[in-house]
Amino acid sequence: MTDTLILVDPTASTYELTELTAAQLPVTDLSAHRGDGIFETVLVSLHGDEPTIVSRDRHFRRFCDSASALDLPEPDPQLWDRVIAAVIAEVTAADPSITEFGIRYAMSRGSQNDDGETRPRGWAFPVPVDEHILTIRTRGITAVSLDRGYDAYIGSKAPWLLLGAKTLSYAVNQAAGRYAGAHDADEALFVSHDGIVLEGPTSNLIIRRGDRLLTPDPDAGLLSGTTQRLIFDHADELGLRAEYADLSLEDVKTADGAWYVSSMRTAVALRELDGNAIAVDEVLTERFQTIIRAG
Ligand code: PLP
């Protein structure tokens, strides 16, 4: 994969191409020490004539909502469209037979000058769909449940927790992933302190119960996923009803199928939770993956 990096100046609405391997971000940038910024990771699927930027608008709307939650300037859609198009052009020029890859785009608050003012910085670069992702799409995953440390639905009372925003502060999510790995599981499943299932560290959970698809309510304290919403928008054609619900761990363990869904993973079957086997619905896994690739 090409090592293109695009540096974006959101204030001037300009960008320049450079290389990922070159040092680019001053250590004084507030994203480096405070995680003070926002990002998106979007899947680009190249199975038709034109590249499909999966859930492009859902991602950009969430990017804008995250900017608003952090009091960052509103991202300029035309600028970021051009940036994404430039990444796609670089990747496909370097590898015309590539079938899918991700693009990570971000905006940080920038560095503070002597007067305490900041000027945002943006960047975007391609990320490969790696071997691990390809493996779990077919073999599925196991998870352990972990207490997220707050009660469900706390976000409206505590907006500073930024629960629905996709910020660059992922140290807790990374730690949860390592904890799961150390306990022989592929993934963590966050549960609110009062026992409501929330999400994985970088994915949403969907379960099937009969003819219903169920997923935790984003207001419970999780990121509203673009992949989850894409699947829910296609529920009708799958002959299923889609609903938000408060789920317990027992609901997940006794489901007729359960999936971790996110942009790069697409949909992977959750086969086991806390050592309990969960029913695997291979047909629906395949259909979810096809719907996601079509964008
Ligand atoms: N929840 C969290 C915490 C995430 O970081 C992500 C994606 O990275 C998701 C859910 C899934 O979101 P999406 O489907 O938009 O990739």
Side-chain angles (χ1 to χ4, degrees):
M1 160 125 340
T2 169
D3 71 350
T4 302
L5 168 66
I6 299 197
L7 292 178
V8 183
D9 182 341
T11 314
S13 274
T14 57
Y15 67 89
E16 62 180 289
L17 266 71
T18 173
E19 282 157 22
L20 264 180
T21 43
Q24 299 294 351
L25 191 69
V27 292
T28 51
D29 191 287
L30 287 168
S31 65
H33 286 279
R34 301 276 194 241
D36 198 356
I38 57 173
F39 78 107
E40 288 294 325
T41 307
V42 59
L43 183 71
V44 181
S45 170
L46 298 112
H47 294 276
D49 291 342
E50 285 293 309
T52 301
I53 302 164
V54 177
S55 285
R56 171 197 201 118
D57 293 345
R58 291 183 187 88
H59 278 284
F60 193 72
R61 267 199 302 278
R62 189 172 64 190
F63 195 54
C64 293
D65 290 346
S66 299
S68 161
L70 271 71
D71 293 322
L72 286 167
E74 191 177 346
D76 168 2
Q78 277 155 14
L79 169 67
W80 289 96
D81 271 358
R82 283 189 286 135
V83 167
I84 287 167
V87 177
I88 294 173
E90 289 293 311
V91 172
T92 51
D95 180 359
S97 61
I98 193 161
T99 54
E100 58 176 348
F101 62 94
I103 298 177
R104 192 155 288 155
Y105 59 95
M107 181 165 69
S108 81
R109 196 173 301 281
S111 310
Q112 230 163 1
N113 68 15
D114 291 345
D115 299 325
E117 292 156 351
T118 52
R119 180 182 171 116
R121 281 195 182 87
W123 58 89
F125 57 93
V127 281
V129 174
D130 61 25
E131 276 305 317
H132 175 69
I133 289 177
L134 295 176
T135 305
I136 62 172
R137 282 179 184 171
T138 48
R139 95 154 145 72
I141 53 158
T142 62
V144 283
S145 58
L146 302 184
D147 187 340
R148 188 66 178 84
Y150 52 73
D151 285 347
Y153 297 99
I154 192 140
S156 58
K157 281 183 276 177
W160 54 88
L161 293 179
L162 299 174
L163 293 182
K166 193 163 168 67
T167 75
L168 289 168
S169 310
Y170 262 57
V172 169
N173 306 47
Q174 298 285 92
R178 286 194 300 275
Y179 185 95
H183 290 77
D184 296 327
D186 297 307
E187 282 280 357
L189 178 62
F190 284 135
V191 181
S192 70
H193 195 56
D194 50 354
I196 307 272
V197 170
L198 298 172
E199 63 184 341
T202 59
S203 50
N204 292 108
L205 174 83
I206 296 178
I207 67 168
R208 180 175 73 78
R209 187 168 284 286
D211 67 353
R212 286 184 309 157
L213 291 179
L214 302 169
T215 199
D217 185 341
D219 288 343
L222 55 122
L223 192 71
S224 177
T226 62
T227 317
Q228 171 265 307
R229 282 179 279 142
L230 172 62
I231 290 172
F232 271 36
D233 285 351
H234 286 78
D236 268 2
E237 72 196 54
L238 295 166
L240 298 167
R241 285 183 294 138
E243 292 166 19
Y244 293 96
D246 288 344
L247 302 174
S248 66
L249 286 172
E250 205 49 35
D251 290 328
V252 182
K253 289 175 199 162
T254 57
D256 298 318
W259 296 266
Y260 269 36
V261 301
S262 70
S263 302
M264 295 294 280
R265 276 179 197 81
T266 65
V268 306
L270 174 62
R271 314 179 73 98
E272 191 185 296
L273 176 61
D274 295 334
N276 300 276
I278 301 175
V280 172
D281 183 338
E282 282 177 7
V283 174
L284 205 46
T285 306
E286 177 75 38
R287 294 202 67 188
F288 284 168
Q289 291 180 356
T290 307
I291 285 169
I292 295 164
R293 264 197 292 272

